[in-house]
Amino acid sequence: MNPSRTFDAKLHDAGSIAAQGKCSHHASAGEGVGPCAGEAVVSFQDRDGRWQSGCSLALEQLVEKGEIEPLGQGA
Ligand SMILES: [Zn+2]
């Protein structure tokens, strides 16, 4: 399970989708969902250790899949 925290633009590369406060999770999913209109609420590390951003829906989905820790519930 990967670490997550409240969205912080400083964690992301300047100029990236995430740094603009958008959801990079859905933007990179490439499953015909198109650009995600959601605002990023969470920053998390993916399997490659890169920081990604997610909207509230992405947060829900990723937590459900056990990919990231639920926000604010870190032990
Ligand atoms: Zn999204």
Side-chain angles (χ1 to χ4, degrees):
M1 194 174 285
N2 296 313
S4 68
R5 59 182 67 183
T6 305
F7 177 71
D8 183 352
K10 291 194 293 291
L11 291 169
H12 304 283
D13 292 338
S16 66
I17 289 172
Q20 295 170 42
K22 301 271 173 59
C23 168
S24 75
H25 174 68
H26 286 131
S28 61
E31 289 167 6
V33 290
C36 181
E39 271 182 40
V41 297
V42 59
S43 296
F44 62 94
Q45 280 185 297
D46 65 17
R47 290 171 191 188
D48 300 322
R50 305 174 64 132
W51 284 100
Q52 305 281 352
S53 60
C55 62
S56 53
L57 180 63
L59 173 60
E60 226 170 82
Q61 292 172 336
L62 288 161
V63 168
E64 206 166 275
K65 283 195 284 186
E67 299 254 348
I68 63 170
E69 298 165 351
L71 271 187
Q73 291 180 28

